[in-house]
Amino acid sequence: MQTPIYQIDAFTNTLFGGNPAAVMPLAYWLPDSVLQAIAGENNLSETAFLVPTPEQEDSDFHIRWFTPTAEVPLCGHATQAAAWVAFNKQEWPHDKVRFQSKSGLLSVSRRPDDSLELDFPNLEYEPCPTPELIKAAMPEVPNAAFFVPNDTNYMVVMASEAEVRAAAPDLQALSRLGNQGLIVTAAGDQCDFVSRYFAPGVGIDEDPVTGSIHSVLTPYWAQQTSKRSLTARQLSKRGGDLHCELRGDRVAISGHAVFFMEGSIQLP
């Protein structure tokens, strides 16, 4: 069975920037073991799989996301990449595409400047002591942290952009968090806030640009800055730029995406 697959660079307007994601439209769901094997073979931080949902009035596709080693409950950049494929490769006729997911209904809208705006949940966060495991992996972190229960992440706030840029956690130690990742953030020098994201326990040493973490970064920095509309940059090697807006219990996350390649997978 020949199945098409696409690779898109998300949250960038420059090829080889942002975060690469694989997108694989399907007519029906393959076994989970096959989906996971494909994601492992792709060896990208995320592979998104889509199946149409014509029987549902409130969604157009069912979307699932897999890292090389695990399925995750929410992913921003691969959702943006999936929307790019729907709009540009599947001739989706509308300016909005709706996805049913493990995190509820998500949508992506095509804007006049060709950027793509994600409508994501506003994720709650709760203060907690910084886990000793994180302190061991990154001794410079503060003693206070935040936990994001609906996205299995911890978040630490550093004193400056320079500290975020210089962060070099012990990834082997950090991998003992298992399926929990670490968001490192600070106020930005030339944007409202910056971040980096590490999740070695699910096969992602450092994610280039992570749309989903902005579901918690946006409400946090909106509270800190008293601004509802914010600019953000993820300080990975590839880097990525996002515009974020707090809209009550939802967060709008927008940016551009660039097509890299397409091909097909031969399945038994």
Side-chain angles (χ1 to χ4, degrees):
M1 182 172 67
Q2 291 278 350
T3 305
I5 189 167
Y6 306 89
Q7 188 169 321
I8 310 298
D9 290 340
F11 293 117
T12 182
N13 53 17
T14 305
L15 189 62
F16 310 124
N19 200 353
V23 179
M24 194 167 173
L26 299 169
Y28 53 87
W29 287 113
L30 302 172
D32 287 6
S33 59
V34 175
L35 300 179
Q36 188 62 74
I38 291 169
E41 189 81 2
N42 290 337
N43 200 31
L44 297 170
S45 60
E46 302 286 350
T47 297
F49 299 94
L50 314 176
V51 170
T53 56
E55 72 285 358
Q56 297 185 16
E57 293 184 359
D58 63 346
S59 71
D60 306 306
F61 296 92
H62 184 192
I63 188 169
R64 297 173 68 185
W65 312 276
F66 288 77
T67 77
T69 61
E71 184 174 7
V72 296
L74 184 64
C75 178
H77 84 280
T79 304
Q80 189 201 51
W84 191 98
V85 169
F87 289 133
N88 295 280
K89 294 296 181 178
Q90 296 187 297
E91 299 181 352
W92 185 249
H94 310 292
D95 287 331
K96 177 186 285 189
V97 58
R98 303 166 301 169
F99 299 105
Q100 186 59 49
S101 77
K102 287 182 177 292
S103 293
L105 187 64
L106 312 172
S107 67
V108 183
S109 299
R110 181 165 48 186
R111 302 175 69 182
D113 64 354
D114 282 334
S115 65
L116 298 173
E117 181 182 277
L118 284 66
D119 175 43
F120 265 38
N122 176 344
L123 293 183
E124 295 183 357
Y125 55 93
E126 51 195 44
C128 66
T130 301
E132 292 301 319
L133 193 157
I134 292 176
K135 289 183 178 180
M138 191 175 162
E140 67 271 26
V141 298
N143 291 323
F146 298 94
F147 181 62
V148 189
N150 290 329
D151 201 23
T152 62
N153 287 317
Y154 286 95
M155 179 172 71
V156 294
V157 182
M158 309 301 286
S160 68
E161 177 177 318
E163 289 188 8
V164 174
R165 194 180 297 276
D170 180 333
L171 296 174
Q172 184 173 359
L174 202 60
S175 69
R176 291 197 286 274
L177 282 175
N179 70 335
Q180 296 171 331
L182 176 63
I183 305 165
V184 182
T185 187
D189 295 337
Q190 298 181 344
C191 60
D192 291 306
F193 65 88
V194 296
S195 66
R196 293 173 68 190
Y197 181 62
F198 305 92
V202 291
I204 305 170
D205 287 349
E206 180 174 3
D207 200 27
V209 192
T210 317
S212 62
I213 64 172
H214 291 78
S215 282
V216 64
L217 287 165
T218 300
Y220 175 82
W221 286 109
Q223 184 178 51
Q224 300 304 308
T225 62
S226 299
K227 297 169 65 174
R228 300 184 67 84
S229 182
L230 303 116
T231 56
R233 180 160 180 81
Q234 198 153 332
L235 297 177
S236 65
K237 183 177 179 180
R238 291 173 66 105
D241 298 296
L242 309 92
H243 182 270
C244 306
E245 186 174 339
L246 185 62
R247 297 177 180 171
D249 63 352
R250 307 295 293 180
V251 173
I253 306 164
S254 62
H256 288 84
V258 179
F259 173 69
F260 174 55
M261 70 175 181
E262 63 181 292
S264 61
I265 291 179
Q266 180 72 43
L267 295 174

